[in-house]
Amino acid sequence: IEQAFEAALPGAWAVVLSDYGKGTLAQVGSMIRVARERGVPVVVDPKGTDFGRYCGATVITPNMSEFETVVGHCADEATLRARGESLRAALDLEAVLITRSERGMTLLQKDRAPLDLPTRARDVFDVTGAGDTVVAVLGAGLACGLPLAEATAVANVAAGIVVGKLGTATVSPEELATALRDAGQTA
């Protein structure tokens, strides 16, 4: 896997590593290191309690439950931000993006104020695949050269579309462009 990964990097503008905890990403640290050495941003959807495996990634995207399993319960926003920043610094990440279900997302970036994005869904029918949508669209945004905050905002809109559908769903480019226009963002 590592050899195939390294061979594919020359044509990559971003890498998305979605860890399902099944062993495929056993060497995730070396994959992150190789990608970052080549200037390729790395988005990681983490699993388990050892987030140290993702050291050096551009951004990790734990949901609130995954985040609190690693850093402990966050009773308030100040605790969430402090623990998120400590995690970001300890793992040498550019950012931690915490997906928070009905509370939206919180992006904690190095040397930037926290960015809280509200949930964009009008109606939530099924949250299945919302996290996958976030990492996919975030990675695509970074690959297109969007700054992390803008790519996160686009990913938030995409997740809002997906949770408004029944079952595991996708978002089309047309749906995303329309939703971004409706939200006052550019597509």
Side-chain angles (χ1 to χ4, degrees):
I1 290 173
E2 292 79 25
Q3 289 175 341
F5 176 81
E6 194 165 341
L9 273 178
W13 292 90
V15 170
V16 175
L17 299 171
S18 192
D19 194 344
Y20 286 89
K22 304 294 183 187
T24 304
L25 294 179
Q27 301 302 320
V28 71
S30 65
M31 295 165 79
I32 291 168
R33 181 183 43 73
V34 168
R36 298 300 287 148
E37 284 172 356
R38 295 188 184 177
V40 178
V42 178
V43 178
V44 178
D45 185 7
K47 289 292 176 278
T49 57
D50 180 13
F51 283 9
R53 297 168 17 100
Y54 313 116
C55 187
T58 304
V59 58
I60 62 171
T61 64
N63 64 35
M64 191 64 179
S65 174
E66 292 164 336
F67 179 73
E68 286 186 321
T69 296
V70 171
V71 303
H73 176 67
C74 298
D76 54 39
E77 295 298 310
T79 303
L80 177 127
R81 284 169 167 68
R83 291 183 180 170
E85 177 53 29
S86 292
L87 179 67
R88 190 211 56 73
L91 298 182
D92 192 27
L93 307 168
E94 288 182 31
V96 174
L97 174 60
I98 306 160
T99 57
R100 304 175 67 187
S101 299
E102 70 279 352
R103 298 200 58 193
M105 301 178 178
T106 298
L107 179 65
L108 303 169
Q109 281 185 272
K110 183 178 182 175
D111 300 327
R112 305 232 175 166
L115 175 64
D116 292 308
L117 296 168
T119 301
R120 291 286 185 181
R122 291 187 189 137
D123 295 308
V124 177
F125 293 106
D126 193 340
V127 297
T128 304
D132 294 325
T133 298
V134 169
V135 295
V137 174
L138 181 61
L142 293 175
C144 290
L146 290 178
L148 195 49
E150 289 179 39
T152 299
V154 174
N156 187 45
V157 170
I161 294 168
V162 167
V163 300
K165 299 178 180 183
L166 289 173
T168 303
T170 61
V171 57
S172 72
E174 296 78 19
E175 288 174 306
L176 185 55
T178 298
L180 289 169
R181 276 193 300 276
D182 291 349
Q185 295 175 260
T186 57

